[in-house]
Amino acid sequence: MKNISRRDMVQISGLSAVGSLIGVSAFSKASGKDKSSGNKLKIIVMGAHPDDPESGCGGTMALFSAAGHEVVSAYLTRGEAGITGKSYDEAARIRTEEALKACKILNARAEFLGQIDGSTEITKERYAEINTFFERENPDIVFTHWPVDSHRDHRICSILAYDAWLNLGKKYDLYYFEVDSGIQTQNFLPSTYVNIGPVITKKGSACMAHASQDPEDFYLNIHKKMEKFRGLEYNCEFAEAFVRHNQNPQTLIG
Ligand SMILES: [Zn+2]
């Protein structure tokens, strides 16, 4: 597989595609980050609950991992409040297993960041925890929730990730993903598109691995439509769409 760098995420038009930009080597040379492991990048996708990274970013995760990059799926909570009739402990156990199954499909490493579903917090201590996590991981690219979202946990997750990005000196690129657009993510105008056609089956399997979350609804009824709609905007069959922070250190254009 050819290398994909964060420069490969950006195209002159303002659109980008991990898949279709493979081979734009000029971008990768310009990244300025030549790791000893052959330009291998670390990508962290931080979501509030198991199924958020996969539904908002799973195709892009699969493309990065297939290209030999390190992908981390970071879950702020274990989805403790997400299964009716189950205790928090039991739901966390079930949803952790589902997340691990999804990560295996996407060839990603799971990290659980220790907050509780439905009770996520922003405090000085919580900011410090997430800051320490990103400092330790030292990523090249981070994807997280767009902050305008009807789910409080998604908003909190976004702000915690954004705060770490600021605190660590904006040294990696930050992108926002969308989940359940219209219902949860709102006012989302993408700047960056990724053609996920080549990995659509893999993404689907990762989302369907969240069997406790009614994936026929959140994936087939909602995210599948979003993938097709974003594909129409990008002139491909299926796409994921992101908002790129315009102060990212490595992007060519805003
Ligand atoms: Zn969620």
Side-chain angles (χ1 to χ4, degrees), residues 48-49 51-52 145 151 154 179 184:
H49 312 103
D51 80 11
D52 287 325
H145 290 274
H151 199 308
H154 295 176
V179 289
Q184 294 185 335

Side-chain angles (χ1 to χ4, degrees), residues 47-54 75-77 79 95 117-118 151 153-154:
H49 312 103
D51 80 11
D52 287 325
E54 296 89 335
Y75 304 98
L76 187 61
T77 77
R95 297 195 67 187
D117 181 11
H151 199 308
D153 290 341
H154 295 176

